[in-house]
Amino acid sequence: MDGQQVVPDTVVEVGETFRSLLQEAKNLREEYVDDMSVSQAFAIVLERRPDLRMEGLAHKVLQWYICRLEGWFAADADKFSLHCIDEEELLVGGHGLMINGYAPVISALADGLDIRLDHRVNRIVRESGTVQVHTEDGKVFKADAAVITVPLGVLKAKLINFEPNLPEWKESAIRDLEMGNENKIALFFDNVFWPNVEFLGVVAPTSYGCSYFLNLHKATGHPVLVYMPSGSLADDIEKLPDEVAASFAVHQLRRILPDAKEPVRFLVSHWGTDINSLGSYSYDAVGKPQDLYTRIRKPVENLFFAGEATSDNFPGTAHGAFATGLMAAEDCRRYFNENFSNLAPFQPVMAMLRPNLYLPLQISRM
């Protein structure tokens, strides 16, 4: 804070207090039937446990830990559910960074597939056991089934019109599950002037005022720091022009390193307003049912759903999205075995349109 490094022992001690605070908050679930936000639970615990209260610099470090927790859910602590805070399973091995981005992974998975870019879907019609996918430019793709993997924010905004409407149990789940926001401002510098650590953090009296930077140089060798605001702070920064947003990130950096240089260039994400996402990843809101991920994933006849917002165990993650894609594919295979066992080697839509033409089964993946 203001160029002064917090003593590492203080960071460790406050971290232990934060973990105790979080565990005590989770214990409240046995006492309170009704759900509450994590911030409300923290307030109750701190009222009961004066020994967990912090003042001065320690309080500000505690707010930084809460800021990191909010980044995990892409939402403020007064928004996400106490009952669902630990529903995600953690994989062993720690975090990994895709040094070259996801492009190599996507390229490998897409090998041999017919990928159509720049086809924005606005209607999906189910009719007589078939699916018609309509795009904004007037194209229509017909298939026997479709796998829907668009982000939850797109579904919530109803940018795709389903005909007939999705059942109410599905639509209510889409309404009730929330989409969070965490943005990234990548700052490119001529050279490295910061310590060789994974994260640089700014402590403050509130979690909203805290900040953290990911040090890409440690992993990639490039002189890049990535500022990562989440929740309401991410929403507020997203309202700013990119130049102003980058300047704000540099201002936060200079609270850590007063002599920080100006970046030579920058990149700013806009996940909350990007029409292709309308948010970063999902989280459970206070007081909502706990089966939302399951309901969103559940098929509707020959429509199958996948993506991080359909993963019970790994919401908000790339591996959660990938795993649900495999599950949707299996659900789709089972659907064909049950409904078209006599036509298993063929595609019913193509057979219906051209009875004398038999082609291998192909399923559109959206």
Side-chain angles (χ1 to χ4, degrees), residues 15-314:
E16 293 173 352
T17 299
F18 171 72
R19 283 185 284 276
S20 297
L21 176 61
L22 190 59
Q23 185 57 54
E24 289 295 319
K26 292 178 183 179
N27 293 341
L28 293 178
R29 294 179 295 196
E30 301 177 2
E31 180 179 348
Y32 290 85
V33 176
D34 293 335
D35 194 12
M36 68 180 72
S37 70
V38 170
S39 64
Q40 182 181 354
F42 283 170
I44 293 174
V45 172
L46 291 175
E47 180 67 25
R48 297 177 175 181
R49 292 281 306 274
D51 57 305
L52 295 179
R53 300 175 197 168
M54 315 234 101
E55 297 181 352
L57 179 60
H59 171 77
K60 295 174 182 177
V61 175
L62 178 64
Q63 298 307 304
W64 187 84
Y65 276 102
I66 295 175
C67 169
R68 292 287 290 115
L69 177 68
E70 292 173 333
W72 189 263
F73 292 93
D76 296 347
D78 62 355
K79 296 286 183 64
F80 50 86
S81 163
L82 176 67
H83 281 182
C84 302
I85 191 173
D86 53 3
E87 65 181 5
E88 179 182 345
E89 296 180 15
L90 297 181
L91 298 180
V92 297
H95 291 284
L97 181 68
M98 309 295 290
I99 293 178
N100 296 316
Y102 278 102
V105 177
I106 295 172
S107 296
L109 294 175
D111 185 41
L113 299 181
D114 180 8
I115 306 294
R116 307 291 179 92
L117 302 179
D118 298 320
H119 284 59
R120 186 180 299 280
V121 175
N122 57 9
R123 289 175 64 207
I124 296 179
V125 181
R126 286 178 288 130
E127 186 177 44
S128 303
T130 66
V131 178
Q132 297 179 17
V133 177
H134 297 251
T135 65
E136 285 185 352
D137 59 1
K139 290 186 175 67
V140 180
F141 297 90
K142 293 185 178 181
D144 302 302
V147 179
I148 314 298
T149 63
V150 298
L152 174 65
V154 174
L155 293 176
K156 292 177 72 68
K158 295 186 178 294
L159 298 184
I160 298 176
N161 183 39
F162 290 89
E163 301 176 15
N165 292 333
L166 295 175
E168 173 57 25
W169 59 263
K170 173 79 74 174
E171 292 197 339
S172 65
I174 292 172
R175 287 194 303 267
D176 287 346
L177 190 62
E178 290 296 337
M179 190 69 160
N181 192 16
E182 181 178 40
N183 276 309
K184 296 180 180 179
I185 301 177
L187 304 175
F188 297 72
F189 297 92
D190 280 328
N191 50 59
V192 176
F193 53 82
W194 54 86
N196 187 32
V197 294
E198 292 185 8
F199 283 99
L200 294 169
V202 178
V203 302
T206 65
S207 62
Y208 182 91
C210 293
S211 299
Y212 59 94
F213 291 82
L214 174 64
N215 175 20
L216 285 192
H217 181 262
K218 186 176 178 64
T220 69
H222 298 298
V224 179
L225 293 174
V226 182
Y227 176 57
M228 302 174 65
S230 63
S232 58
L233 178 59
D235 293 337
D236 291 343
I237 292 177
E238 198 158 331
K239 299 172 185 175
L240 304 173
D242 284 2
E243 294 78 6
V244 179
S247 295
F248 180 83
V250 173
H251 172 73
Q252 295 300 308
L253 180 61
R254 285 178 176 152
R255 294 178 61 193
I256 308 172
L257 304 169
D259 297 327
K261 302 175 182 179
E262 284 290 324
V264 294
R265 60 191 180 100
F266 54 82
L267 289 174
V268 182
S269 69
H270 306 86
W271 294 120
T273 54
D274 187 324
I275 197 66
N276 296 312
S277 59
L278 297 177
S280 298
Y281 40 89
S282 59
Y283 71 90
D284 286 283
V286 178
K288 300 300 181 180
Q290 298 182 33
D291 65 341
L292 300 179
Y293 294 98
T294 301
R295 274 195 274 156
I296 295 178
R297 193 186 72 81
K298 187 175 180 181
V300 177
E301 297 179 359
N302 54 349
L303 292 184
F304 303 88
F305 294 80
E308 63 82 19
T310 69
S311 176
D312 292 301
N313 298 327
F314 310 112

